[in-house]
Every structure is written in C-alpha cells, then in structure tokens.
Amino acid sequence: LHSDLDKGEGTVKYTLSGDGAGTVFTIDETTGDIHAIRSLDREEKPFYTLRAQAVDIETRKPLEPESEFIIKVQDINDNEPKFLDGPYVASVPEMSPV
C-alpha cells in the first residue's frame, strides 16, 4: 500500500483494519507494506476482507479514501490422502494407454 502523497518524509502513517488485521496480517505503519504473520489455510478461511488507509501522522486525518481489498487464499494439497474403508484392490491391463 502506498499513497501518492507520501514523499518519504515520515508524515504519513498507514493503518490496517478488517478480518485478521493485527492477528493474521500486519502493516508497516511507515512504508505501507502488508505481511501475513502466520500461515494461511483455505480450509480455515477462504478469504479475508481488509481495509487500509493513509493518514497524516500529525493531524490523524485521512489523506485518501479508505481502500478495501480481498485476499483470496489459494488451496494447496496439504493433507495426506486417507483411505478409510480399505484395503483396496485395482489392476491395470498390460499395454494400457497412459
């Protein structure tokens, strides 16, 4: 996150609110960089809605309208397969196509 009004003089503070702000996601108040502070799991929560804003560090007034964005968590196969009703038997005939 970066405001065009931020000239790098330390007069802008970035804030973050919404799902997981401060617990799952953090923002560097000086640079506006947003980071996940723990692993995300789509089975736990498939998306997060966050709001970020740049404010004047002295007056605490917003410099721009609040930005809302959605972080969609992609699924990875992080669970090993489980075969509960085994054993299973299968066969493939010789010379079968791939």
Side-chain angles (χ1 to χ4, degrees):
L1 180 71
H2 188 79
S3 171
D4 291 338
L5 300 174
D6 186 354
K7 304 297 182 203
E9 299 165 345
T11 59
V12 177
K13 177 182 174 181
Y14 295 94
T15 63
L16 187 67
S17 61
D19 295 340
T23 57
V24 179
F25 300 98
T26 186
I27 190 167
D28 183 309
E29 293 180 349
T30 306
T31 65
D33 292 344
I34 299 172
H35 299 277
I37 53 179
R38 67 175 180 84
S39 295
L40 306 178
D41 188 350
R42 194 175 77 86
E43 283 83 20
E44 182 183 317
K45 189 165 177 72
F47 66 91
Y48 295 84
T49 303
L50 295 168
R51 292 176 303 285
Q53 192 164 42
V55 297
D56 185 288
I57 202 162
E58 292 177 8
T59 65
R60 305 280 187 222
K61 291 184 178 179
L63 297 174
E64 296 180 0
E66 188 174 67
S67 298
E68 182 176 281
F69 53 98
I70 297 172
I71 296 177
K72 294 181 181 177
V73 182
Q74 293 185 347
D75 193 21
I76 60 169
N77 189 7
D78 57 349
N79 299 313
E80 62 187 35
K82 294 185 178 162
F83 301 97
L84 304 176
D85 298 324
Y88 295 97
V89 177
S91 62
V92 178
E94 278 189 56
M95 305 300 288
S96 293
V98 176

